Amino acid sequence: IPTAWLPNINSIIIIIGAPFLGLIFKKIDEKYNFTAIHKFITGLIYLALAPLLLLISIALSNFHIVNLSWLAIAYILISLSELFIAPVGYATVGRYVNRKNQGIMTGCWISILGLGVLISSKLSNL
């Protein structure tokens, strides 16, 4: 498998996983009162597990070539975290901001995400 195909895992997980996760959220919400905060925390946990998994894979390979499946699993975890975090942010803006300011606040949410990506990119270059 060419390594350039690995980012496509994100698209596949989002397209296939979003409808299923919506159904799962509905059932979990009814049964366990799984609130937006719980979803956001779950997404952050998945996001934190991805680099930890890569670190473990590097250590297990004795700092040699790592199996590609570890990277694929990390991409899956990152995609799942996106499925948990992004809709919660948009829904929270829709719920707590009045109709007049929803556009600007949604733009702020997206801008903050972009700023986070920029900071992450700069830190990874260090």
Side-chain angles (χ1 to χ4, degrees), residues 13 26 30 32 48 59 70 81 92 98 102 107-108 112 117 120-121:
I13 296 292
K26 191 173 185 177
E30 293 170 357
Y32 298 109
W70 289 96
S81 72
T92 304
N98 62 11
Q102 281 183 355
C108 287
I112 289 170
V117 169
S120 170
S121 171

Side-chain angles (χ1 to χ4, degrees), residues 18 76 95:
I76 290 170
R95 179 178 292 166

Side-chain angles (χ1 to χ4, degrees), residues 80-96:
L80 287 174
S81 72
E82 183 179 349
L83 280 172
F84 275 82
I85 292 173
V88 171
Y90 293 123
T92 304
V93 168
R95 179 178 292 166
Y96 296 116

Side-chain angles (χ1 to χ4, degrees), residues 1-61:
I1 298 174
T3 54
W5 289 6
L6 285 174
N8 294 333
I9 292 173
N10 184 21
S11 302
I12 293 168
I13 296 292
I14 298 298
I15 291 169
I16 294 173
F20 290 118
L21 199 60
L23 294 173
I24 292 170
F25 278 166
K26 191 173 185 177
K27 289 183 180 182
I28 291 175
D29 288 347
E30 293 170 357
K31 191 171 184 178
Y32 298 109
N33 194 20
F34 200 61
T35 64
I37 298 296
H38 294 112
K39 294 172 192 167
F40 203 86
I41 291 170
T42 304
L44 289 176
I45 289 171
Y46 285 151
L47 194 59
L49 286 177
L52 182 65
L53 182 74
L54 292 176
L55 183 65
I56 291 170
S57 68
I58 291 168
L60 288 176
S61 69

Side-chain angles (χ1 to χ4, degrees), residues 57-78:
S57 68
I58 291 168
L60 288 176
S61 69
N62 294 324
F63 298 95
H64 289 81
I65 295 176
V66 176
N67 191 339
L68 197 60
S69 61
W70 289 96
L71 191 56
I73 293 169
Y75 268 108
I76 290 170
L77 286 172
I78 291 170

